[in-house]
């Protein structure tokens, strides 16, 4: 049941695609003059692995009922999703330049009614895991085998709704949900450990009834094997704590809270694109 | 006719809908014996999801279900449905226009003894503030049954407010309900009383009382507050020249505000309001509270006379 254009990239191709998506992210945000580069760059490998290797999806039929779903809960990382959707053929790559502009289909935060391939409207944090539960419950009612992937931010786990959802996904025994935390350890104003301590995070999710896998979120081998493993876990959901670096791939953005929600200057953009060449 | 609780009718309606349409699913937040979704839960356990005391989670789960083609009916008390999860309703339902029906029970101060934490008197203002969100307050049990059928057949997000207590019947033999259409229950030329929910029966009582004194009231059941039947309001303004709006709600943001806005577009006329003003309720029996806070036929009649008096002064 593989749709015609499902991707099955090699490791080398995945590496190259992640770099390409990062370039798109930097260019898009620079052109827009605003946006959130840090949390898009940290998620590049995770999103690349899903769209170009793991998920069954079809850009020619974005609402294909049997598609795997990718729910971006941390809606401010919209640029990395838009880049992946454009490279997957959901809309022209040229359109990435319109990010955040009037009449663009690429809104500042995701809008499911506007952008082909976007599954959920997000922007107010904490809602995506719950939404994914609804999608997964519907799949189970309809005896469908597609999977629902949901990407959460680590700072997002400050929101109480995440823990309501964590409790209920396990309660409903949703083994067709895989959550991934882009654990870049930085939120808007600084290190997560200083703003709101998340640790011990593995133990929290375990206590809530989840199967937990911890990986390096920039290592494709680890990403792919953890997603494979998640498919095998039955009667409970799996969460992958993907340790990442905020701003990854652009030296002066790495581990900098200041690039959570700031566009690079023209000079910085040139430097960033050179580093990502 | 015996008095019935609209929420009881809602519970029974859900079973009928569930039998007709396998896509209908129901979510509740540990209140199913009170919201009456437990009937559906017993017949369709696979399609009933108790989300526990987590209303924010429940709303976003409903959105995910709707995004996959299901028609979720979501129930809890009106205070929680309106206030506890407003951001989730805004982002996941209103901005997406997803096909989720929130049917909240225990609206208004007629909840009674539980007191102000449990009395939803701001819910209509909150839901009316959401662009494109349908807001319905049925007047009695029969209209509730019709309204639930209508919302199941209409695509898009809907908020239906039901009360806790049994209410007197407004409709006896039949009730034709259409979303966005008001029903003129009584014709009259002196003043129009526009009411919603439990205030409709009281408006009719008031009109009887006024008729004895030679005052001819038009009575309109405005069960859909959004989208508003502006034509009926404009006609009432032009033809009767005075309006009274009665609702179990705070003064601002609900039916009164919306009627005033609609009326003023064509011909502003003297208007009087019967509502809770700027007050919270208290604990007490439902009937005692309605009396204490002036949500009565007598207060409506008084307001009608005042509106007529002001009309006369203008002419």
């Amino acid at each position: 049941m593989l749709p015609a254009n499902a991707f099955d990239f090699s490791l080398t191709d995945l590496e190259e695609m992640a770099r390409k998506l990062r370039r798109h992210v930097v260019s898009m945000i620079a052109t827009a003059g605003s946006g959130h580069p840090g949390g898009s760059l940290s998620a590049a490998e995770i999103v690349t692995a899903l769209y170009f290797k793991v998920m069954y999806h079809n850009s020619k039929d974005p609402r294909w009922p049997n598609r795997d779903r990718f729910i971006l809960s941390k809606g401010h990382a919209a640029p990395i999703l838009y880049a992946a959707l454009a490279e997957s053929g959901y809309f022209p790559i040229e359109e990435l330049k319109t990010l955040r502009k009037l009449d663009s289909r690429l809104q500042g935060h995701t809008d499911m009614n506007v952008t082909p391939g976007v599954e959920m409207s997000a922007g107010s944090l904490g809602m995506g895991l719950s939404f994914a539960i609804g999608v997964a419950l519907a799949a189970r009612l309809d005896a469908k085998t597609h999977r629902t992937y949901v990407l959460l931010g680590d700072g997002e786990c400050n929101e109480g709704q995440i823990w309501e959802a964590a409790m209920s996904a396990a309660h409903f025994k949703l083994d067709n949900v895989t959550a991934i935390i882009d654990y870049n350890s930085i939120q808007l104003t600084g290190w997560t450990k200083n703003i709101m301590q998340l640790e011990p995070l593995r133990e929290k999710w375990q206590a809530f009834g989840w199967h937990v896998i911890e990986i390096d979120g920039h290592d494709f081998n680890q990403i792919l094997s953890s997603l494979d493993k998640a498919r095998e876990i039955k009667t409970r959901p799996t969460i992958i704590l993907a340790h990442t670096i905020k701003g990854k791939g652009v030296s002066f953005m790495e581990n900098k809270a200041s690039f959570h929600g700031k566009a690079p200057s023209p000079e910085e953009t040139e430097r960033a694109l050179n580093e990502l060449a | 006719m015996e008095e019935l609780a609209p929420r009881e009718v809602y519970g029974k309606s859900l079973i009928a809908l569930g039998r007709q349409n396998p896509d209908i699913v129901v979510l509740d937040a540990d209140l199913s014996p009170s919201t009456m979704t437990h009937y559906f839960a017993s017949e369709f356990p696979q399609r009933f999801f108790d989300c526990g005391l987590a209303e924010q989670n429940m709303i976003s789960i409903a959105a995910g279900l709707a995004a996959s083609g299901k028609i979720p009916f979501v129930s809890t008390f009106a205070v929680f449905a309106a206030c506890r999860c407003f951001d989730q309703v805004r982002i996941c339902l209103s901005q997406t226009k997803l096909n989720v029906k929130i049917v909240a029970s225990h609206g208004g101060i007629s909840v009674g003894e539980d007191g102000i934490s449990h009395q939803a008197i701001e819910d209509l203002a909150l839901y009316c503030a959401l662009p494109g969100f349908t807001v319905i307050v049925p007047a009695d049990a029969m209209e509730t049954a019709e309204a639930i059928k209508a919302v199941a057949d209409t695509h898009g997000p809907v908020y239906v407010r039901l009360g806790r207590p049994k209410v007197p019947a407004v409709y006896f033999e039949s009730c034709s309900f259409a979303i966005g259409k008001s029903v003129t229950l009584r014709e009259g030329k002196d003043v129009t009383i526009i009411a919603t929910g439990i205030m409709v029966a009281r408006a009719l009582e008031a009109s009887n009382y006024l008729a004895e004194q030679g005052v001819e009231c038009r009575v309109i059941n405005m069960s859909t507050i959004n989208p508003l039947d502006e034509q009926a309001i404009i006609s009432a303004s032009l033809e009767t020249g005075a309006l009274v709006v009665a609702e179990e709600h705070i003064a601002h943001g609900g039916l009164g505000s919306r009627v005033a806005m609609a009326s003023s577009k064509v011909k502003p006329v003297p208007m009087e309001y019967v509502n809770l003003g700027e007050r919270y309720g208290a604990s007490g029996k439902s009937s005692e509270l309605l009396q204490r806070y002036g949500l009565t036929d007598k207060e409506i009649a008084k307001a009608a006379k005042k509106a007529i008096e002001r009309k006369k002064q203008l002419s």
Side-chain angles (χ1 to χ4, degrees), chain A residues 21-41 79 99-101 247-254 256-276:
Chain A
L21 297 191
R22 285 198 166 96
R23 286 200 297 271
H24 284 319
V25 165
V26 169
S27 304
M28 289 164 84
I29 295 174
T31 307
S34 67
H36 302 80
S40 271
L41 295 172
L99 175 72
R100 290 174 167 250
K101 295 205 157 56
K248 171 77 173 174
V250 178
S251 58
F252 57 90
M253 291 188 184
E254 287 189 2
K256 292 282 191 302
S258 57
F259 274 103
H260 167 88
K262 184 178 76 171
S265 68
E267 297 73 35
E268 288 169 333
T269 304
E270 198 184 335
R271 241 179 94 194
L273 291 176
N274 282 336
E275 289 184 20
L276 293 167

Short mmCIF file of all heavy atoms in Angstrom, two decimals, chain A residues 21-41 79 99-101 247-254 256-276:
data_model
loop_
_atom_site.label_atom_id
_atom_site.label_comp_id
_atom_site.label_asym_id
_atom_site.label_seq_id
_atom_site.Cartn_x
_atom_site.Cartn_y
_atom_site.Cartn_z
N LEU A 21 16.84 21.26 4.29
CA LEU A 21 15.72 21.83 5.08
C LEU A 21 16.21 22.94 5.99
O LEU A 21 15.54 23.95 6.17
CB LEU A 21 15.03 20.73 5.90
CG LEU A 21 14.34 19.58 5.15
CD1 LEU A 21 13.49 18.75 6.12
CD2 LEU A 21 13.50 20.05 3.99
N ARG A 22 17.40 22.75 6.55
CA ARG A 22 17.97 23.81 7.41
C ARG A 22 18.20 25.09 6.59
O ARG A 22 17.95 26.20 7.07
CB ARG A 22 19.29 23.34 8.04
CG ARG A 22 19.10 22.36 9.16
CD ARG A 22 20.36 22.25 10.04
NE ARG A 22 20.03 21.57 11.27
CZ ARG A 22 20.22 20.25 11.48
NH1 ARG A 22 20.77 19.49 10.54
NH2 ARG A 22 19.87 19.71 12.63
N ARG A 23 18.70 24.91 5.38
CA ARG A 23 18.91 26.10 4.54
C ARG A 23 17.58 26.80 4.27
O ARG A 23 17.49 28.03 4.35
CB ARG A 23 19.59 25.70 3.22
CG ARG A 23 21.06 25.36 3.37
CD ARG A 23 21.79 25.46 2.02
NE ARG A 23 21.30 24.52 1.02
CZ ARG A 23 21.78 23.27 0.85
NH1 ARG A 23 22.75 22.81 1.63
NH2 ARG A 23 21.28 22.50 -0.09
N HIS A 24 16.57 26.00 3.97
CA HIS A 24 15.24 26.59 3.76
C HIS A 24 14.79 27.38 5.00
O HIS A 24 14.28 28.49 4.89
CB HIS A 24 14.19 25.51 3.48
CG HIS A 24 14.27 24.93 2.09
ND1 HIS A 24 14.50 25.68 0.98
CD2 HIS A 24 14.10 23.64 1.66
CE1 HIS A 24 14.49 24.90 -0.11
NE2 HIS A 24 14.26 23.64 0.29
N VAL A 25 14.98 26.77 6.16
CA VAL A 25 14.54 27.41 7.42
C VAL A 25 15.20 28.77 7.58
O VAL A 25 14.53 29.78 7.84
CB VAL A 25 14.84 26.50 8.63
CG1 VAL A 25 14.74 27.27 9.94
CG2 VAL A 25 13.90 25.29 8.64
N VAL A 26 16.52 28.80 7.40
CA VAL A 26 17.26 30.05 7.58
C VAL A 26 16.80 31.09 6.56
O VAL A 26 16.50 32.24 6.90
CB VAL A 26 18.78 29.80 7.48
CG1 VAL A 26 19.54 31.13 7.39
CG2 VAL A 26 19.26 28.98 8.67
N SER A 27 16.68 30.67 5.29
CA SER A 27 16.29 31.62 4.24
C SER A 27 14.87 32.14 4.44
O SER A 27 14.60 33.33 4.29
CB SER A 27 16.34 30.95 2.86
OG SER A 27 17.61 30.43 2.63
N MET A 28 13.96 31.20 4.77
CA MET A 28 12.56 31.60 4.96
C MET A 28 12.42 32.63 6.06
O MET A 28 11.73 33.64 5.91
CB MET A 28 11.72 30.39 5.42
CG MET A 28 11.47 29.34 4.41
SD MET A 28 10.89 27.83 5.26
CE MET A 28 9.18 28.20 5.42
N ILE A 29 13.06 32.35 7.20
CA ILE A 29 12.90 33.24 8.36
C ILE A 29 13.60 34.56 8.09
O ILE A 29 13.09 35.63 8.45
CB ILE A 29 13.41 32.54 9.65
CG1 ILE A 29 12.52 31.34 9.94
CG2 ILE A 29 13.44 33.51 10.82
CD1 ILE A 29 12.99 30.48 11.11
N ALA A 30 14.74 34.50 7.39
CA ALA A 30 15.45 35.75 7.06
C ALA A 30 14.57 36.59 6.13
O ALA A 30 14.44 37.80 6.32
CB ALA A 30 16.78 35.42 6.38
N THR A 31 13.95 35.96 5.13
CA THR A 31 13.09 36.70 4.20
C THR A 31 11.87 37.26 4.91
O THR A 31 11.46 38.39 4.67
CB THR A 31 12.63 35.77 3.05
OG1 THR A 31 13.79 35.18 2.47
CG2 THR A 31 11.87 36.54 1.98
N ALA A 32 11.31 36.46 5.82
CA ALA A 32 10.12 36.91 6.55
C ALA A 32 10.47 38.05 7.51
O ALA A 32 9.65 38.89 7.83
CB ALA A 32 9.50 35.75 7.32
N GLY A 33 11.71 38.03 8.01
CA GLY A 33 12.12 39.04 8.98
C GLY A 33 11.70 38.72 10.40
O GLY A 33 11.93 39.50 11.33
N SER A 34 11.05 37.57 10.58
CA SER A 34 10.69 37.12 11.92
C SER A 34 10.44 35.61 11.87
O SER A 34 10.28 35.04 10.79
CB SER A 34 9.45 37.84 12.44
OG SER A 34 8.32 37.46 11.68
N GLY A 35 10.38 35.01 13.05
CA GLY A 35 10.16 33.56 13.10
C GLY A 35 11.04 32.92 14.15
O GLY A 35 11.74 33.61 14.90
N HIS A 36 11.02 31.60 14.19
CA HIS A 36 11.69 30.86 15.26
C HIS A 36 12.69 29.87 14.70
O HIS A 36 12.36 28.70 14.49
CB HIS A 36 10.64 30.12 16.10
CG HIS A 36 9.61 31.01 16.71
ND1 HIS A 36 8.52 31.49 16.01
CD2 HIS A 36 9.50 31.53 17.97
CE1 HIS A 36 7.79 32.27 16.79
NE2 HIS A 36 8.36 32.31 17.99
N PRO A 37 13.94 30.30 14.48
CA PRO A 37 14.89 29.38 13.86
C PRO A 37 15.37 28.24 14.79
O PRO A 37 15.48 27.09 14.35
CB PRO A 37 16.07 30.28 13.47
CG PRO A 37 15.92 31.52 14.27
CD PRO A 37 14.47 31.67 14.60
N GLY A 38 15.59 28.56 16.06
CA GLY A 38 16.24 27.60 16.97
C GLY A 38 15.55 26.25 17.02
O GLY A 38 16.18 25.21 16.83
N GLY A 39 14.24 26.26 17.27
CA GLY A 39 13.50 25.01 17.43
C GLY A 39 13.13 24.34 16.12
O GLY A 39 12.66 23.20 16.12
N SER A 40 13.33 25.03 15.00
CA SER A 40 13.19 24.38 13.70
C SER A 40 14.47 23.62 13.37
O SER A 40 14.44 22.48 12.90
CB SER A 40 12.91 25.41 12.59
OG SER A 40 11.52 25.62 12.45
N LEU A 41 15.61 24.28 13.62
CA LEU A 41 16.89 23.67 13.29
C LEU A 41 17.16 22.43 14.15
O LEU A 41 17.71 21.45 13.68
CB LEU A 41 18.02 24.69 13.47
CG LEU A 41 17.96 25.88 12.48
CD1 LEU A 41 19.01 26.93 12.85
CD2 LEU A 41 18.16 25.41 11.04
N PRO A 79 8.40 26.48 10.25
CA PRO A 79 9.30 26.52 9.08
C PRO A 79 9.91 25.15 8.71
O PRO A 79 10.01 24.83 7.53
CB PRO A 79 10.38 27.52 9.49
CG PRO A 79 9.65 28.47 10.39
CD PRO A 79 8.71 27.59 11.18
N LEU A 99 6.56 32.86 3.52
CA LEU A 99 6.31 32.64 4.96
C LEU A 99 5.94 33.94 5.66
O LEU A 99 6.64 34.95 5.54
CB LEU A 99 7.56 32.04 5.61
CG LEU A 99 7.52 31.87 7.13
CD1 LEU A 99 6.60 30.72 7.52
CD2 LEU A 99 8.93 31.62 7.69
N ARG A 100 4.86 33.90 6.42
CA ARG A 100 4.44 35.02 7.28
C ARG A 100 3.98 36.27 6.53
O ARG A 100 3.78 37.32 7.13
CB ARG A 100 5.54 35.41 8.27
CG ARG A 100 5.76 34.37 9.34
CD ARG A 100 6.95 34.67 10.23
NE ARG A 100 6.89 33.79 11.41
CZ ARG A 100 6.61 34.20 12.64
NH1 ARG A 100 6.41 35.47 12.89
NH2 ARG A 100 6.56 33.34 13.64
N LYS A 101 3.84 36.17 5.21
CA LYS A 101 3.42 37.35 4.47
C LYS A 101 1.91 37.32 4.23
O LYS A 101 1.30 36.26 4.23
CB LYS A 101 4.16 37.41 3.13
CG LYS A 101 5.66 37.60 3.31
CD LYS A 101 6.29 38.24 2.08
CE LYS A 101 7.60 38.93 2.38
NZ LYS A 101 8.62 38.12 3.00
N GLY A 247 19.14 25.34 17.53
CA GLY A 247 19.90 26.07 16.51
C GLY A 247 20.92 25.22 15.77
O GLY A 247 21.77 25.76 15.05
N LYS A 248 20.83 23.91 15.91
CA LYS A 248 21.83 22.98 15.36
C LYS A 248 22.16 23.25 13.89
O LYS A 248 21.25 23.43 13.06
CB LYS A 248 21.30 21.55 15.51
CG LYS A 248 22.11 20.47 14.82
CD LYS A 248 23.39 20.13 15.58
CE LYS A 248 24.08 18.94 14.93
NZ LYS A 248 25.38 18.67 15.56
N GLY A 249 23.46 23.29 13.58
CA GLY A 249 23.91 23.44 12.20
C GLY A 249 24.37 24.85 11.87
O GLY A 249 25.07 25.06 10.88
N VAL A 250 23.99 25.80 12.71
CA VAL A 250 24.45 27.19 12.53
C VAL A 250 25.21 27.57 13.80
O VAL A 250 24.60 27.74 14.86
CB VAL A 250 23.26 28.15 12.29
CG1 VAL A 250 23.76 29.59 12.14
CG2 VAL A 250 22.46 27.73 11.06
N SER A 251 26.52 27.67 13.67
CA SER A 251 27.38 27.76 14.86
C SER A 251 26.92 28.84 15.85
O SER A 251 26.83 28.60 17.05
CB SER A 251 28.82 28.02 14.46
OG SER A 251 28.88 29.22 13.70
N PHE A 252 26.58 30.00 15.32
CA PHE A 252 26.26 31.11 16.25
C PHE A 252 24.82 31.06 16.77
O PHE A 252 24.43 31.88 17.59
CB PHE A 252 26.55 32.46 15.58
CG PHE A 252 25.82 32.69 14.29
CD1 PHE A 252 24.57 33.29 14.27
CD2 PHE A 252 26.39 32.29 13.08
CE1 PHE A 252 23.89 33.49 13.09
CE2 PHE A 252 25.70 32.49 11.88
CZ PHE A 252 24.46 33.08 11.89
N MET A 253 24.05 30.10 16.27
CA MET A 253 22.70 29.92 16.83
C MET A 253 22.65 28.77 17.83
O MET A 253 21.70 28.67 18.62
CB MET A 253 21.68 29.63 15.71
CG MET A 253 21.41 30.79 14.79
SD MET A 253 20.03 30.39 13.66
CE MET A 253 20.02 31.84 12.62
N GLU A 254 23.66 27.90 17.78
CA GLU A 254 23.62 26.69 18.61
C GLU A 254 23.62 27.05 20.10
O GLU A 254 24.43 27.86 20.55
CB GLU A 254 24.79 25.76 18.27
CG GLU A 254 24.57 25.07 16.93
CD GLU A 254 25.58 23.97 16.62
OE1 GLU A 254 26.46 23.70 17.49
OE2 GLU A 254 25.49 23.39 15.52
N LYS A 256 21.71 28.83 21.79
CA LYS A 256 21.45 30.23 22.11
C LYS A 256 19.95 30.47 22.21
O LYS A 256 19.23 30.41 21.21
CB LYS A 256 22.01 31.14 21.00
CG LYS A 256 23.53 31.17 20.91
CD LYS A 256 24.13 32.05 21.99
CE LYS A 256 25.61 32.31 21.76
NZ LYS A 256 26.42 31.06 21.70
N ALA A 257 19.50 30.81 23.41
CA ALA A 257 18.08 31.12 23.59
C ALA A 257 17.70 32.34 22.75
O ALA A 257 16.55 32.50 22.34
CB ALA A 257 17.79 31.39 25.07
N SER A 258 18.68 33.21 22.49
CA SER A 258 18.38 34.44 21.75
C SER A 258 17.87 34.15 20.34
O SER A 258 17.18 34.97 19.75
CB SER A 258 19.61 35.33 21.67
OG SER A 258 20.68 34.63 21.07
N PHE A 259 18.19 32.96 19.80
CA PHE A 259 17.68 32.60 18.48
C PHE A 259 16.45 31.70 18.55
O PHE A 259 16.10 31.05 17.59
CB PHE A 259 18.78 31.99 17.61
CG PHE A 259 19.59 33.04 16.90
CD1 PHE A 259 20.86 33.39 17.35
CD2 PHE A 259 19.06 33.71 15.81
CE1 PHE A 259 21.59 34.38 16.72
CE2 PHE A 259 19.79 34.70 15.17
CZ PHE A 259 21.05 35.05 15.62
N HIS A 260 15.79 31.69 19.71
CA HIS A 260 14.51 30.97 19.78
C HIS A 260 13.51 31.61 18.81
O HIS A 260 12.86 30.93 18.04
CB HIS A 260 13.94 31.02 21.21
CG HIS A 260 12.50 30.57 21.29
ND1 HIS A 260 12.16 29.25 21.45
CD2 HIS A 260 11.33 31.25 21.18
CE1 HIS A 260 10.83 29.14 21.44
NE2 HIS A 260 10.31 30.34 21.28
N GLY A 261 13.40 32.93 18.88
CA GLY A 261 12.36 33.59 18.09
C GLY A 261 12.84 34.85 17.43
O GLY A 261 12.18 35.88 17.49
N LYS A 262 14.03 34.77 16.79
CA LYS A 262 14.59 35.98 16.16
C LYS A 262 15.11 35.62 14.78
O LYS A 262 15.77 34.60 14.60
CB LYS A 262 15.73 36.51 17.03
CG LYS A 262 16.34 37.81 16.53
CD LYS A 262 17.44 38.33 17.46
CE LYS A 262 18.75 37.56 17.29
NZ LYS A 262 19.88 38.17 18.01
N ALA A 263 14.84 36.48 13.80
CA ALA A 263 15.37 36.26 12.45
C ALA A 263 16.84 36.69 12.41
O ALA A 263 17.22 37.65 13.08
CB ALA A 263 14.56 37.05 11.44
N PRO A 264 17.65 35.99 11.60
CA PRO A 264 19.03 36.43 11.44
C PRO A 264 19.13 37.69 10.58
O PRO A 264 18.28 37.90 9.71
CB PRO A 264 19.70 35.23 10.74
CG PRO A 264 18.60 34.52 10.03
CD PRO A 264 17.34 34.76 10.83
N SER A 265 20.15 38.50 10.82
CA SER A 265 20.40 39.68 9.98
C SER A 265 20.90 39.20 8.62
O SER A 265 21.26 38.03 8.47
CB SER A 265 21.47 40.55 10.64
OG SER A 265 22.71 39.85 10.60
N PRO A 266 20.97 40.09 7.62
CA PRO A 266 21.49 39.67 6.31
C PRO A 266 22.89 39.06 6.40
O PRO A 266 23.17 38.05 5.77
CB PRO A 266 21.49 40.96 5.50
CG PRO A 266 20.41 41.80 6.12
CD PRO A 266 20.43 41.45 7.58
N GLU A 267 23.76 39.66 7.22
CA GLU A 267 25.12 39.12 7.36
C GLU A 267 25.08 37.74 8.01
O GLU A 267 25.77 36.82 7.60
CB GLU A 267 26.00 40.06 8.21
CG GLU A 267 26.21 41.45 7.61
CD GLU A 267 24.98 42.34 7.69
OE1 GLU A 267 24.21 42.25 8.67
OE2 GLU A 267 24.74 43.10 6.72
N GLU A 268 24.27 37.64 9.07
CA GLU A 268 24.15 36.35 9.76
C GLU A 268 23.57 35.28 8.83
O GLU A 268 23.95 34.12 8.87
CB GLU A 268 23.26 36.50 11.00
CG GLU A 268 23.92 37.26 12.14
CD GLU A 268 22.93 37.65 13.26
OE1 GLU A 268 21.73 37.79 12.97
OE2 GLU A 268 23.40 37.82 14.40
N THR A 269 22.63 35.70 7.99
CA THR A 269 22.01 34.75 7.06
C THR A 269 23.05 34.20 6.10
O THR A 269 23.13 33.00 5.85
CB THR A 269 20.88 35.45 6.26
OG1 THR A 269 19.96 36.00 7.19
CG2 THR A 269 20.17 34.49 5.34
N GLU A 270 23.91 35.09 5.59
CA GLU A 270 24.94 34.65 4.65
C GLU A 270 25.90 33.67 5.32
O GLU A 270 26.23 32.62 4.77
CB GLU A 270 25.70 35.88 4.14
CG GLU A 270 26.47 35.60 2.88
CD GLU A 270 27.31 36.79 2.43
OE1 GLU A 270 26.96 37.95 2.79
OE2 GLU A 270 28.31 36.55 1.71
N ARG A 271 26.28 34.01 6.54
CA ARG A 271 27.18 33.13 7.30
C ARG A 271 26.53 31.76 7.53
O ARG A 271 27.15 30.72 7.33
CB ARG A 271 27.47 33.76 8.67
CG ARG A 271 28.93 34.07 8.91
CD ARG A 271 29.10 34.71 10.27
NE ARG A 271 29.42 33.73 11.30
CZ ARG A 271 29.36 33.96 12.60
NH1 ARG A 271 28.97 35.16 13.03
NH2 ARG A 271 29.68 33.03 13.47
N ALA A 272 25.24 31.82 7.92
CA ALA A 272 24.52 30.57 8.22
C ALA A 272 24.43 29.70 6.99
O ALA A 272 24.69 28.49 7.03
CB ALA A 272 23.13 30.89 8.76
N LEU A 273 24.09 30.31 5.85
CA LEU A 273 23.93 29.53 4.62
C LEU A 273 25.28 28.96 4.15
O LEU A 273 25.33 27.86 3.62
CB LEU A 273 23.28 30.38 3.53
CG LEU A 273 21.80 30.74 3.81
CD1 LEU A 273 21.25 31.68 2.73
CD2 LEU A 273 20.93 29.47 3.90
N ASN A 274 26.35 29.71 4.41
CA ASN A 274 27.68 29.17 4.08
C ASN A 274 28.00 27.95 4.93
O ASN A 274 28.52 26.96 4.44
CB ASN A 274 28.76 30.24 4.30
CG ASN A 274 28.78 31.23 3.15
OD1 ASN A 274 28.36 30.90 2.04
ND2 ASN A 274 29.25 32.44 3.42
N GLU A 275 27.67 28.05 6.21
CA GLU A 275 27.93 26.91 7.10
C GLU A 275 27.11 25.69 6.70
O GLU A 275 27.50 24.56 6.93
CB GLU A 275 27.61 27.28 8.56
CG GLU A 275 28.60 28.26 9.16
CD GLU A 275 28.31 28.54 10.64
OE1 GLU A 275 27.62 27.72 11.27
OE2 GLU A 275 28.78 29.57 11.14
N LEU A 276 25.93 25.92 6.12
CA LEU A 276 25.02 24.82 5.77
C LEU A 276 25.18 24.39 4.31
O LEU A 276 24.42 23.57 3.82
CB LEU A 276 23.57 25.25 6.01
CG LEU A 276 23.18 25.47 7.47
CD1 LEU A 276 21.84 26.19 7.57
CD2 LEU A 276 23.14 24.14 8.22
#
